Amino acid sequence: MKNSLKHINEIVLTQGTLTKEGISSLPIDSEKLIFWDLFDNFASLSIDKQRDFDDLTEGIPWSFNLEKGIIMFEDYTFPMQVYGSFSKSSNTWLWAWENQHLQQTPKIIANSFVLKHLGERFDISHLTVPQYDSNQNELYDLGLIACSMFGQDGFFLADYGQGIMLLTVTFPDEIKDEFDEIGIEREVTVIGEFLEQYEVSNQVDALEAYLYLKGFKVSIADGELRAEADGKFLKLGFNEDFFLTSLDTEL
């Protein structure tokens, strides 16, 4: 795994979120990152989180209040962060930090500025160009990055007719406690879903990041990744091209 990603993951795990200060603290000689490095690193954990978010909110009517920074799903109200919006008429993405309307509520677009700062640090144009041609699939990709990078508990594509706004939410503690337990069956399912849906160039690094950020103690040796948490184990084997070839659990 690139050292820059290792440092980012350590910040996220220890501080709960990536910040501008955290980005500034990265070693000057950190390797260049591309957008898809971030995707491979954070997407699987977000897929995991999204299962819980969808269980709570799927099919439930919603509304949001930008001034209060909240989104409501009937009985549930969550603090939210807004990252940007997709225009259906022009098929373009506009970052929240560039949106004059959203600039009036700076607290709910704070994370979008952190992504901009990260893009400037590593020359990632996806994160620094204010508006660009896009599609709805890319919103989902951005959501998978942002959700776990900022320690959020789910992301939501808020379709308001003319466009779609990308936002993430934070659960209250009583809901977090319901989903807190690590279960091997859950991780096995998420790994399978992640690798089936997406082309991942280095599956070793991607799955190491997922399990590390999920709270497992991870070690890699001789083409094998071992992960342990609360007496539960995962053993993953990889070939010379860094593709997963075996997955075993020891309960």
Side-chain angles (χ1 to χ4, degrees):
M1 182 185 298
K2 294 181 177 180
N3 285 331
S4 48
L5 284 175
K6 288 183 178 179
H7 286 290
I8 288 172
N9 288 345
E10 184 177 354
I11 292 169
V12 172
L13 188 65
T14 57
Q15 300 183 20
T17 183
L18 188 63
T19 62
K20 286 187 177 180
E21 293 76 17
I23 294 169
S24 299
S25 72
L26 295 173
I28 295 177
D29 61 349
S30 294
E31 309 96 324
K32 179 178 175 63
L33 292 178
I34 63 173
F35 179 84
W36 294 111
D37 289 330
L38 301 175
F39 180 85
D40 290 352
N41 190 79
F42 289 110
S44 51
L45 180 58
S46 294
I47 290 171
D48 190 317
K49 292 169 176 275
Q50 200 66 13
R51 294 169 69 91
D52 297 330
F53 179 70
D54 287 344
D55 284 346
L56 285 177
T57 63
E58 191 168 15
I60 298 178
W62 58 272
S63 61
F64 58 69
N65 186 311
L66 293 178
E67 292 184 358
K68 293 183 178 180
I70 57 174
I71 184 167
M72 295 151 283
F73 296 87
E74 292 187 348
D75 295 335
Y76 300 108
T77 298
F78 304 124
M80 69 178 184
Q81 279 285 310
V82 179
Y83 298 84
S85 56
F86 172 77
S87 169
K88 294 181 181 179
S89 59
S90 63
N91 288 320
T92 56
W93 166 261
L94 177 67
W95 279 104
W97 45 261
E98 183 68 11
N99 186 312
Q100 293 183 358
H101 179 62
L102 291 174
Q103 287 170 3
Q104 299 175 31
T105 52
K107 288 185 178 180
I108 68 169
I109 62 173
N111 287 355
S112 76
F113 278 100
V114 176
L115 283 171
K116 182 185 180 185
H117 189 58
L118 182 67
E120 292 168 344
R121 172 70 173 79
F122 290 100
D123 192 25
I124 304 173
S125 60
H126 265 77
L127 307 182
T128 59
V129 176
Q131 186 173 18
Y132 55 84
D133 293 340
S134 186
N135 58 64
Q136 295 187 32
N137 289 335
E138 289 189 1
L139 271 69
Y140 201 86
D141 296 339
L142 281 170
L144 288 173
I145 292 172
C147 178
S148 291
M149 178 182 287
F150 295 107
Q152 302 286 280
D153 295 304
F155 69 92
F156 185 65
L157 304 182
D159 190 329
Y160 52 89
Q162 296 178 334
I164 303 172
M165 186 175 292
L166 170 62
L167 54 90
T168 58
V169 305
T170 306
F171 289 162
D173 289 341
E174 59 267 23
I175 292 180
K176 287 184 180 182
D177 291 342
E178 295 179 21
F179 303 120
D180 212 20
E181 182 180 352
I182 293 177
I184 291 298
E185 296 82 4
R186 174 66 166 261
E187 280 69 44
V188 170
T189 300
V190 169
I191 288 171
E193 182 178 340
F194 175 53
L195 297 183
E196 181 180 355
Q197 292 187 9
Y198 301 100
E199 293 184 9
V200 182
S201 59
N202 188 321
Q203 297 180 2
V204 179
D205 287 353
L207 298 182
E208 177 190 6
Y210 166 52
L211 294 169
Y212 174 74
L213 292 169
K214 191 74 190 285
F216 283 81
K217 181 179 179 181
V218 180
S219 62
I220 300 176
D222 300 324
E224 184 177 277
L225 183 155
R226 293 180 63 88
E228 177 183 355
D230 299 329
K232 302 175 183 179
F233 299 88
L234 272 172
K235 183 170 64 176
L236 292 77
F238 300 87
N239 62 21
E240 59 185 12
D241 295 318
F242 310 113
F243 285 90
L244 182 68
T245 57
S246 63
L247 191 159
D248 297 309
T249 62
E250 302 171 16
L251 302 179

